[in-house]
Amino acid sequence: MPVTLRDFGSYTAGGRLHRVTEGEPRDIQVTRDVTLTFDPRGTFAVEHAYVQYFIPEPRRDAPPVVLLHGGGMTGTVWETTPDGRPGWLHLLLAQGYEVHVIDNVERGRAGFMPGLWPGEPVLRSLEDAWTLFRIGPPEGFETRTPYPNQRFPTEALEALAKTFAPRWLSTGPQQAAAVKAVLDRLDAPTLIAHSQGADPAFEAIAQGARASHLVLVEPSAEPADPAALADIPVTLITGDHLDINDLWRTRAAAWATFAADLRAAGATAHHPALAPGHSHLPMHDLGHDTVLDAILATLPG
């Protein structure tokens, strides 16, 4: 999909300097021919987000769009789909939107520092993605037999898995701080957050960050106080096959309550109906362009 860009680049947002005083220097072989002395002590830049931005030509007169990935994923989720179609990043640029794509704390090009956060990182398996993302039943994994009407391109499951990144389960506050830094830099952009990405988005807004519109794609959390979103229009995107187990039945009920609470708090809450068969990854599904169109129809202008 050809797109003309006025500008593109990257920046980091948030983070801090971390001082390490323990450890001893040691020699490490960095290539076949070079050995260097490595000192684990020193000052390190940590807990920032990496953001890549794209400004199309012409640019639409609208707030920039920030894309925030979910758990165990990076900004690649918004780029080319696993089966090779242009992703939401490309589609947004083609419609003239300025786009900023986040790799949040400890993901992708934001990098990580071993031993900095409590716990061990976890990496999602193909089997877990197959069931958790509602692509198909557990017994259908080996034969790649999906749920009826499934829109995820099942032949691309392995390509999807190659985009997974290890994640820590203890970095919520740091991720929220980085998201807030991005939103503060852009002054009230449209924020599209997927799954676990909703959690740092809510916390960033609770800490005073501003967004002109909040799009939640199957969020895995709700805000502690829905009234905090009373001045921000919200669009909620949910898929199909939500009756397969207690997890998704609970999430579906929570989303319905969340939308009702938003309206009760005086917020504008959109919940567009999607075609049957969408998974937890509507940005990758067949028909992902119609999902994005439904989102954009709820934005002003």
Side-chain angles (χ1 to χ4, degrees):
M1 174 178 287
V3 174
T4 300
L5 294 179
R6 180 189 307 174
D7 191 18
F8 70 97
S10 63
Y11 56 91
T12 59
R16 64 184 177 89
L17 295 180
H18 176 66
R19 179 73 178 168
V20 176
T21 58
E22 298 178 348
E24 296 294 334
R26 66 182 188 276
D27 290 341
I28 58 174
Q29 187 170 350
V30 294
T31 71
R32 289 190 303 270
D33 302 316
V34 175
T35 298
L36 296 176
T37 299
F38 169 73
D39 192 339
R41 301 165 299 183
T43 304
F44 300 86
V46 299
E47 296 177 350
H48 50 272
Y50 170 91
V51 186
Q52 193 169 31
Y53 69 88
F54 305 83
I55 304 175
E57 182 62 56
R59 182 195 184 281
R60 181 185 291 260
D61 184 16
V65 176
V66 174
L67 299 175
L68 177 58
H69 60 77
M73 309 191 93
T74 70
T76 59
V77 74
W78 309 107
E79 298 175 0
T80 307
T81 67
D83 60 337
R85 289 168 290 129
W88 282 7
L89 167 60
H90 303 84
L91 299 179
L92 286 163
L93 291 171
Q95 296 203 43
Y97 287 95
E98 176 182 333
V99 183
H100 295 241
V101 183
I102 295 178
D103 281 3
N104 211 348
V105 175
E106 46 89 347
R107 309 280 177 79
R109 284 178 284 184
F112 67 89
M113 182 176 183
L116 181 61
W117 306 296
E120 295 293 328
V122 296
L123 180 64
R124 178 167 290 118
S125 68
L126 273 73
E127 290 88 345
D128 185 43
W130 177 265
T131 55
L132 182 64
F133 295 164
R134 305 194 313 278
I135 299 171
E139 63 273 15
F141 172 75
E142 293 296 337
T143 59
R144 301 298 192 270
T145 303
Y147 290 118
N149 303 317
Q150 178 56 256
R151 289 176 172 265
F152 180 83
T154 55
E155 73 281 1
L157 180 65
E158 182 176 339
L160 171 68
K162 290 177 180 178
T163 69
F164 295 161
R167 62 174 291 197
W168 275 257
L169 303 176
S170 56
T171 57
Q174 294 86 350
Q175 290 198 354
V179 172
K180 183 178 185 302
V182 175
L183 299 183
D184 288 347
R185 177 188 179 112
L186 297 177
D187 189 24
T190 293
L191 175 59
I192 302 180
H194 175 233
S195 193
Q196 176 263 336
D199 206 13
F202 291 142
E203 184 58 29
I205 291 169
Q207 294 175 13
R210 298 173 61 244
S212 63
H213 200 109
L214 182 58
V215 179
L216 304 170
V217 181
E218 295 217 340
S220 61
E222 287 74 49
D225 180 15
L229 301 177
D231 296 329
I232 304 174
V234 175
T235 299
L236 179 62
I237 297 296
T238 60
D240 200 358
H241 303 295
L242 293 170
D243 60 348
I244 60 169
N245 57 34
D246 287 343
L247 168 65
W248 289 113
R249 283 189 289 270
T250 299
R251 294 307 309 143
W255 294 331
T257 300
F258 174 44
D261 288 345
L262 285 174
R263 295 185 180 103
T268 301
H270 305 278
H271 192 176
L274 303 184
H278 280 293
S279 72
H280 185 58
L281 297 167
M283 70 290 292
H284 286 333
D285 290 344
L286 301 175
H288 72 319
D289 53 338
T290 62
V291 178
L292 183 60
D293 286 344
I295 291 171
L296 297 181
T298 67
L299 304 184

